[in-house]
Amino acid sequence: MTRRKSAAEVFDALAERYEEAFGRVPGQLAALDWLTARLPAGARVLDVGSGTGRPTAEALARAGCAVTGIDVSAAMVALARSRVPQARFEQADVRTYAPGPDGFDAVCAFFPLLVMDQPEVADALDRMASWVAPGGYFVMATVPGDIRGLDIEWMGHEVTVSSLSTEDHLSRLADRGLEVLHHHTAAFRPAGGLAEPEEHLFCYARRPA
């Protein structure tokens, strides 16, 4: 059996092609509009799975936020640094990343948790929720489903993916002290036929002040 690639290997190989396919997800753009309307200038924001820096870090930096992006892919981090010089990017894994004690005014997580095992997805969700400071926001998107270790071909690469159901995402966030303000699912067809259509879950949450 062919060895499935890690997230870092997949996204190092994809680089700019990922932005071609997924750079204009309507639900993600709407979530960024919603978030930036609620954040003051200088708000500290963490972009988990920052990719090429577009659209998330770019939109947040344009809104005057102090943006830190983390991604497991060195190639993605290099692209992001060149495309969004107003933000700071580092190669880091959400499963081991250690932010400062004050947390963030907002944490964004657009599709960073799929290429890992299901218990890691749950733990990463808990970790990200804990980084949201009082009064801060958490905005995320994923492909929902009670999925563990599913082997698929995605954008020309064999990968093993996992996720949680919509209900499990919402209950875990609530259990970690976040108030879920809104959630919805939407179908998305990646541009250029580079990947198959997907169902996306979007969730907006806030930690009470």
Side-chain angles (χ1 to χ4, degrees):
M1 180 177 175
T2 303
R3 182 182 70 86
R4 268 31 181 187
K5 296 178 180 178
S6 69
E9 291 171 319
V10 170
F11 289 101
D12 278 346
L14 286 175
E16 295 185 18
R17 292 180 64 231
Y18 181 80
E19 186 179 326
E20 293 174 22
F22 291 94
R24 301 291 299 175
V25 179
Q28 182 174 351
L29 299 176
L32 289 169
D33 286 344
W34 181 91
L35 180 62
T36 54
R38 287 160 175 78
L39 293 176
R44 297 161 298 124
V45 185
L46 178 67
D47 179 14
V48 179
S50 47
T52 67
R54 298 173 178 167
T56 303
E58 183 177 63
L60 292 164
R62 190 187 306 121
C65 298
V67 184
T68 298
I70 63 170
D71 201 287
V72 294
S73 164
M76 289 293 197
V77 168
L79 280 171
R81 286 172 175 165
S82 67
R83 292 183 174 180
V84 192
Q86 312 95 309
R88 183 174 69 87
F89 299 94
E90 59 181 287
Q91 186 179 2
D93 191 320
V94 66
R95 294 169 291 187
T96 55
Y97 178 68
D102 296 331
F104 295 90
D105 300 309
V107 175
C108 296
F110 292 105
F111 310 104
L113 305 183
L114 293 164
V115 188
M116 57 179 70
D117 197 11
Q118 194 178 55
E120 294 175 317
V121 175
D123 181 64
L125 192 64
D126 294 350
R127 287 171 57 80
M128 292 189 298
S130 75
W131 301 336
V132 180
Y137 295 92
F138 178 65
V139 179
M140 67 160 291
T142 192
V143 178
D146 185 4
I147 302 164
R148 182 172 189 182
L150 177 66
D151 293 330
I152 65 170
E153 182 175 322
W154 181 75
M155 294 192 71
H157 296 270
E158 294 181 334
V159 296
T160 301
V161 298
S162 302
S163 189
L164 304 174
S165 68
T166 295
E167 293 73 18
D168 283 345
H169 277 97
L170 301 180
S171 64
R172 292 195 80 88
L173 294 178
D175 289 346
R176 273 67 191 172
L178 299 185
E179 178 187 1
V180 176
L181 305 175
H182 169 78
H183 75 277
H184 73 276
T185 56
F188 176 71
R189 183 179 295 275
L194 295 173
E196 295 297 317
E198 300 176 344
E199 180 185 65
H200 292 166
L201 166 67
F202 294 91
C203 181
Y204 308 173
R206 182 175 184 268
R207 184 175 300 284

